[in-house]
Amino acid sequence: MSEEGQQSISSRDLAELLGANPWQIRKDFSYFGGFGTPGVGYKVEKLAKQINKILKLDVIHKAALVGVGNLGSVVLAYPGFRIYGFDIAAAFDTDSKKIGRKINNVMIEDASNLWMLKRRKIYIAIIAVPRDTAQETADALVKAGVKGILNFSPCYITAPRKVKVITIDIAMDLARLPYYMPAS
Amino acid sequence: MSEEGQQSISSRDLAELLGANPWQIRKDFSYFGGFGTPGVGYKVEKLAKQINKILKLDVIHKAALVGVGNLGSVVLAYPGFRIYGFDIAAAFDTDSKKIGRKINNVMIEDASNLWMLKRRKIYIAIIAVPRDTAQETADALVKAGVKGILNFSPCYITAPRKVKVITIDIAMDLARLPYYMPAS
DNA sequence: CTATGTGAATTTATTCACAGCA
DNA sequence: TGCTGTGAATAAATTCACATAG
């Protein structure tokens, strides 16, 4: 909207766009202080900035990818991270055939060098390794000072409470569909 | 657990395993009738069956993949769908170089034949096409009688209310991490 | 004795309704 | 007049506590 020159938006329009209702929008924003203008609505640009601040997306985050297989390569090639302020600054693999090569301008490094992440101030990692090495990868990442992990391996991962782990299992997401579908 | 020979599990153990509390587990199950045994717990095998039934995962679901690019190929190669009873029964693409080839024993068909899905009784589809063709792909799928869509394109998709759409945007999932991470 | 299932109590979230500001 | 922000009212979810079944 900002790019399209729209100045402001009302809670009603925003609600319709999101499939919610206006009260919810206003109440939710009010919990963070309320940043609208009565009679006008929410200034689009200001709103976006506030939301980014709330979600801590107001700074560039460096992230590391571990596992440059099929899925890992897709992640490296994915252009969508930039709009949220992410920079895939490193990639790791155990396969010596891959180490040293570059994908999308990112050099693939030896996975035994994960400990260097702390020195490089990278606190976010994406795990895209086979299921049976996911936990040990996570352990290494935690040891390297990583504070947030996005896990693509289809398994639960244990980590200290202060490390946030989000697991994405595309099969599980697919499995959510039948429940909502009318009787087939 | 079933494979490991474990007969039953208590709400307490289940809660610990899931990071929840026992009351929640029991209350949730009770909403669906309650299928535990006082003094013993929940029979593992029976519980799994009940949950599959609730989630409508107690039958085999055929699914179609649209878009066999980088991400689509990963989806085709992904072994994890089977445990939830999914069968990727068809794959489509617009690229004539890909049409006719087989990946993971699935023949890639011409995307203009999507309408055949109805005849083949496939009601679930996975969209893995570029963002700018995602909506038209969804429209074609809806027209072909699809009732559930898993969308991997990073964009909102509009569909009739009776068609359930779940969108996965890996960048957005990554973007959830900073909020939970301690101040860096 | 042990662990479920469930009403009741409590907490949390959503919706309403309207005062007040641009 | 139009739309926000927010207390109050309503609805929903979670937690408790205990009767009851194996």
Side-chain angles (χ1 to χ4, degrees):
Chain A
M1 284 177 181
S2 181
E3 283 165 9
E4 285 165 8
Q6 190 167 339
Q7 293 289 316
S8 56
I9 187 169
S10 69
S11 56
R12 186 154 52 85
D13 293 350
L14 205 44
E16 190 172 4
L17 219 56
L18 294 170
N21 46 41
W23 322 293
Q24 193 72 75
I25 301 281
R26 293 206 298 276
K27 179 64 92 179
D28 283 1
F29 286 166
S30 85
Y31 284 126
F32 294 97
F35 18 79
T37 318
V40 180
Y42 298 89
K43 259 200 82 186
V44 170
E45 207 140 335
K46 185 179 173 188
L47 180 56
K49 251 181 208 132
Q50 291 285 351
I51 293 176
N52 273 339
K53 195 174 167 189
I54 293 167
L55 300 177
K56 305 233 190 105
L57 297 175
D58 53 345
V59 293
I60 302 280
H61 291 280
K62 288 193 284 185
L65 170 72
V66 189
V68 191
N70 288 328
L71 180 56
S73 302
V74 170
V75 170
L76 270 184
Y78 190 69
F81 295 116
R82 298 199 61 238
I83 45 173
Y84 296 105
F86 289 100
D87 171 26
I88 310 292
F92 297 87
D93 206 294
T94 52
D95 186 346
S96 56
K97 288 195 218 67
K98 290 174 186 164
I99 295 167
R101 293 177 60 181
K102 269 190 175 184
I103 294 187
N104 257 63
N105 225 31
V106 180
M107 172 73 78
I108 302 173
E109 305 171 49
D110 191 324
S112 61
N113 291 334
L114 277 181
W115 58 272
M116 286 183 182
L117 288 177
K118 185 175 276 174
R119 187 181 304 172
R120 288 158 74 181
K121 294 184 177 160
I122 297 180
Y123 302 112
I124 290 178
I126 302 169
I127 295 182
V129 303
R131 179 171 37 214
D132 50 313
T133 52
Q135 182 62 58
E136 58 191 85
T137 300
D139 294 343
L141 287 170
V142 169
K143 211 173 272 178
V146 161
K147 298 278 180 281
I149 295 174
L150 183 62
N151 172 38
F152 278 109
S153 295
C155 60
Y156 276 103
I157 273 187
T158 311
R161 186 151 325 174
K162 61 183 175 179
V163 176
K164 175 70 176 177
V165 179
I166 291 180
T167 294
I168 296 179
D169 179 350
I170 57 179
M172 205 178 275
D173 287 310
L174 189 64
R176 289 171 53 203
L177 282 175
Y179 180 80
Y180 297 99
M181 288 162 52
S184 53
Chain B
M1 283 176 180
S2 181
E3 283 165 8
E4 286 167 8
Q6 190 167 338
Q7 292 289 316
S8 56
I9 185 167
S10 68
S11 56
R12 185 153 53 84
D13 293 349
L14 205 44
E16 190 173 4
L17 220 54
L18 294 170
N21 47 40
W23 322 292
Q24 193 72 75
I25 300 281
R26 293 204 300 275
K27 178 64 93 178
D28 283 0
F29 286 166
S30 85
Y31 284 126
F32 295 96
F35 17 79
T37 318
V40 179
Y42 299 88
K43 255 199 86 185
V44 171
E45 208 139 335
K46 186 180 173 189
L47 179 58
K49 251 182 207 128
Q50 292 284 351
I51 292 176
N52 274 338
K53 196 174 167 189
I54 292 167
L55 300 177
K56 305 234 190 104
L57 297 176
D58 53 346
V59 293
I60 301 281
H61 291 279
K62 287 192 286 187
L65 170 71
V66 189
V68 192
N70 288 330
L71 180 56
S73 303
V74 170
V75 171
L76 271 184
Y78 189 70
F81 295 115
R82 300 199 60 238
I83 46 171
Y84 295 105
F86 289 99
D87 171 26
I88 310 291
F92 298 88
D93 205 295
T94 51
D95 186 347
S96 56
K97 288 194 217 67
K98 289 173 187 164
I99 296 168
R101 293 175 61 179
K102 269 190 174 184
I103 295 187
N104 258 65
N105 224 32
V106 179
M107 172 73 78
I108 301 173
E109 306 171 49
D110 190 323
S112 59
N113 291 333
L114 277 181
W115 58 272
M116 287 184 180
L117 289 176
K118 187 175 274 174
R119 187 182 301 171
R120 289 156 75 179
K121 294 184 176 160
I122 297 180
Y123 304 111
I124 290 177
I126 303 169
I127 295 181
V129 303
R131 180 171 36 212
D132 50 313
T133 52
Q135 182 63 59
E136 57 190 86
T137 300
D139 294 342
L141 288 170
V142 169
K143 211 173 272 178
V146 161
K147 298 279 179 280
I149 295 174
L150 183 62
N151 172 39
F152 278 109
S153 295
C155 59
Y156 275 103
I157 272 186
T158 311
R161 187 151 325 174
K162 60 183 177 181
V163 176
K164 174 72 177 177
V165 178
I166 291 179
T167 294
I168 296 179
D169 179 350
I170 58 179
M172 205 180 277
D173 287 311
L174 189 63
R176 289 171 53 204
L177 282 176
Y179 180 80
Y180 296 99
M181 289 163 49
S184 53

